[in-house]
Amino acid sequence: MAQKQKQSYWYFGGLASVGAACCTHPLDLIKVALQTQQGQLSVFQLVRGIVSEQGVTALYNGLSASILRQMTYSTTRFGAYEVGKDYVNTNTFAGKVALAGMSGLAGGIVGTPADMVNVRMQNDVKLPYRQRRNYKNAVDGLIKVYRSEGFTRLFSGATTATARGVLMTIGQIAFYDQIKLYLLKTDYFKDDLVTHFTASLAAGAIATTLTQPLDVLKTRSMNAAPGEYNGLWDIVKHTAKLGPLGFFKGYVPAFVRLGPQTILTFVLLEQLRLNFGYVKTRTPTVGESTKVYFRHTQR
């Protein structure tokens, strides 16, 4: 008899995302710095400037906000996807995409405040000292934004963050599940680290391509001073001045960050599932229960 496959608990995705974020945070910081600049500094010039002026530890500026973001955003989207499997048919790719989209929508909304503070803390490293916000940590940032700019400012960039969350979750989770399913149907892959790595690498590339334009707009919106832009369309026009490639600014560091982040997330998630997951027992339907009852009484 084949051994039943273990399932993930709803919070495993959040735990795995936090672990991955701790490893890839410097790459995320470099991506944000590239997206918010209007100049043409290269990745190496930007990193050299940050490290020479503020030290290597500056690359971990905003780590607390990054962790808080994963605890809210990723826990919500992974959790909603896992729980939603009981209510949505995910045997088809369309079902996976629909569930992932709804999960990403919820995660994008819940995670926006921490995401905004994360963007601001990361962008501080390239600002002159007097222009820095100097949040002590993620919670301090949330409190200061609420007190000085109002509650609604905490959800600045929510439109693009939510849309990005939808596309990101589709690109990562739905495509990962589907690619993994295709790989396991062949004779060359098993439910092991090689399969998890291959599927997550492909999912990371897809997710980066789907979300990069929205990621640029979201970053600029969240980092903007009050009144700097007159709505989302104004940000689009401002970014368009850089040409079509302006919407893909920071693509290379975005993939360099999101690729390893996606791989680490799913590798950690799969290890949590295989080692600490549970075997799901199917509840029999009323018809099945009736048949069992009659077989038992007729003995």
Side-chain angles (χ1 to χ4, degrees):
M1 183 178 178
Q3 187 178 6
K4 292 185 178 179
Q5 190 179 56
K6 287 186 176 181
Q7 304 295 318
S8 294
Y9 287 103
W10 65 269
Y11 53 87
F12 278 1
L15 292 176
S17 297
V18 168
C22 290
C23 298
T24 61
H25 183 77
L27 298 172
D28 194 28
L29 181 142
I30 294 166
K31 179 207 70 172
V32 168
L34 281 170
Q35 290 176 342
T36 53
Q37 68 161 338
Q38 280 297 104
Q40 299 295 327
L41 288 178
S42 68
V43 175
F44 297 106
Q45 290 173 321
L46 195 64
V47 172
R48 185 173 57 189
I50 293 171
V51 173
S52 62
E53 292 177 13
Q54 303 172 56
V56 177
T57 55
L59 294 174
Y60 280 90
N61 197 35
L63 180 60
S64 63
S66 183
I67 291 173
L68 179 61
R69 176 176 178 266
Q70 297 302 333
M71 290 173 65
T72 53
Y73 164 67
S74 288
T75 301
T76 300
R77 66 192 185 112
F78 274 97
Y81 188 80
E82 284 299 325
V83 174
K85 288 179 179 179
D86 293 333
Y87 305 97
V88 178
N89 180 15
T90 55
N91 291 328
T92 64
F93 181 59
K96 292 184 179 72
V97 169
L99 180 57
M102 291 185 287
S103 302
L105 178 68
I109 295 172
V110 173
T112 295
D115 196 7
M116 187 198 67
V117 173
N118 182 39
V119 167
R120 289 186 172 189
M121 291 181 72
Q122 290 176 344
N123 194 56
D124 259 8
V125 298
K126 75 177 186 64
L127 294 176
Y129 183 79
R130 291 184 179 180
Q131 295 181 20
R132 294 176 192 170
R133 295 180 171 95
N134 292 321
Y135 299 147
K136 296 177 182 177
N137 50 55
V139 176
D140 179 59
L142 292 173
I143 294 172
K144 285 184 177 178
V145 172
Y146 173 73
R147 288 178 176 174
S148 62
E149 302 176 47
F151 176 77
T152 55
R153 187 62 179 172
L154 288 170
F155 290 89
S156 173
T159 302
T160 50
T162 302
R164 178 183 179 275
V166 171
L167 294 176
M168 178 67 74
T169 308
I170 291 172
Q172 283 186 325
I173 301 179
F175 273 92
Y176 174 82
D177 272 1
Q178 193 66 25
I179 294 168
K180 177 184 169 185
L181 181 65
Y182 285 146
L183 293 176
L184 291 177
K185 284 183 178 180
T186 70
D187 296 329
Y188 307 104
F189 292 90
K190 298 179 181 179
D191 193 6
D192 56 16
L193 186 61
V194 174
T195 301
H196 305 157
F197 177 87
T198 305
S200 58
L201 177 62
I206 293 169
T208 304
T209 305
L210 287 175
T211 61
Q212 189 61 16
L214 284 172
D215 195 35
V216 171
L217 298 178
K218 180 211 73 171
T219 300
R220 286 177 174 264
S221 175
M222 289 181 170
N223 191 60
E228 184 177 346
Y229 296 115
N230 186 24
L232 179 60
W233 182 242
D234 192 33
I235 302 175
V236 172
K237 290 190 293 183
H238 187 76
T239 307
K241 292 178 181 178
L242 301 171
L245 292 180
F247 293 96
F248 287 89
K249 200 167 189 178
Y251 182 88
V252 173
F255 175 70
V256 170
R257 180 198 72 88
L258 191 59
Q261 196 265 348
T262 303
I263 292 169
L264 286 171
T265 296
F266 282 105
V267 166
L268 290 173
L269 175 60
E270 294 285 12
Q271 289 304 307
L272 287 171
R273 176 181 66 83
L274 292 172
N275 292 284
F276 304 104
Y278 67 97
V279 176
K280 188 173 183 180
T281 56
R282 188 173 65 87
T283 303
T285 63
V286 175
E288 290 172 335
S289 299
T290 304
K291 290 179 182 179
V292 172
Y293 172 78
F294 278 111
R295 282 203 300 268
H296 179 73
T297 55
Q298 289 174 1
R299 288 179 179 175

